[in-house]
Amino acid sequence: MKNENLHKIKSTGLKTPDHYFESFETDFFERLHKTSSLDAIEQPGFSVPDSYFSDVEAQILNQVEDPKPTPVIPLKPKRSFYYVAGIAASFALFFSLIFNTKNTVSFDTIDTAIIEGYLYQEEYTNEDFASLFLSDEISETDFIDLSISDETLDQYFEQIDTEDLIFE
């Protein structure tokens, strides 16, 4: 059915007999009184053998009991596994410490790009870097023989902001 025809529906489609709700209550109680008389039931239809409730517990327990015991299979204790694993781990650690001495870390083995990346991430200021150097270690002759090409200087000045060149 299309949505535009939904507002034209006048009936729900469900119908009840005439005067159904007016006479429902009286009809219901009349039928209830006719069929609810317990005197009309002669036999309930179910029977229980004599002494059923006194013997049922013993019968169920006899059926449930297992006459033969279940064999118990002992598992290997975990202590021996822990001892062996501990000894193997200590040997592995011992040999890795002794035979792995050729890979020592020093400033010569560390890549310069890694150090620059670390220092860039830590956001050190120029004052922090200056505090690392002592005045005895730095001399003017270290900077005299320094030759920087014009292209390098041009690239540097293109990348740097002019606000960074202003000193306070």
Side-chain angles (χ1 to χ4, degrees), residues 23-36:
S23 63
F24 174 75
E25 188 175 341
T26 57
D27 290 342
F28 176 73
F29 283 118
E30 284 177 9
R31 287 184 186 176
L32 184 65
H33 286 301
K34 286 181 187 176
T35 59
S36 69

Side-chain angles (χ1 to χ4, degrees), residues 69-80:
T70 306
V72 177
I73 300 171
L75 299 174
K76 293 181 181 179
K78 293 182 181 179
R79 283 189 206 153
S80 61

Side-chain angles (χ1 to χ4, degrees), residues 19-132:
H19 306 292
Y20 177 75
F21 291 106
E22 295 170 0
S23 63
F24 174 75
E25 188 175 341
T26 57
D27 290 342
F28 176 73
F29 283 118
E30 284 177 9
R31 287 184 186 176
L32 184 65
H33 286 301
K34 286 181 187 176
T35 59
S36 69
S37 115
L38 295 176
D39 299 333
I41 300 174
E42 295 173 7
Q43 257 188 345
F46 300 103
S47 62
V48 177
D50 295 335
S51 71
Y52 175 75
F53 292 107
S54 61
D55 296 338
V56 74
E57 185 177 351
Q59 289 177 1
I60 292 173
L61 289 177
N62 286 337
Q63 291 175 356
V64 172
E65 277 186 16
D66 192 15
K68 56 183 175 182
T70 306
V72 177
I73 300 171
L75 299 174
K76 293 181 181 179
K78 293 182 181 179
R79 283 189 206 153
S80 61
F81 173 73
Y82 291 141
Y83 290 138
V84 172
I87 292 170
S90 63
F91 277 124
L93 180 65
F94 177 72
F95 285 121
S96 68
L97 290 176
I98 289 178
F99 295 115
N100 196 16
T101 57
K102 57 186 167 189
N103 291 335
T104 58
V105 178
S106 66
F107 282 109
D108 297 334
T109 60
I110 297 176
D111 190 16
T112 308
I114 294 172
I115 296 172
E116 288 176 355
Y118 173 75
L119 294 175
Y120 179 73
Q121 288 176 353
E122 293 296 320
E123 298 179 2
Y124 287 111
T125 62
N126 291 336
E127 289 81 18
D128 294 334
F129 286 126
S131 66
L132 296 175

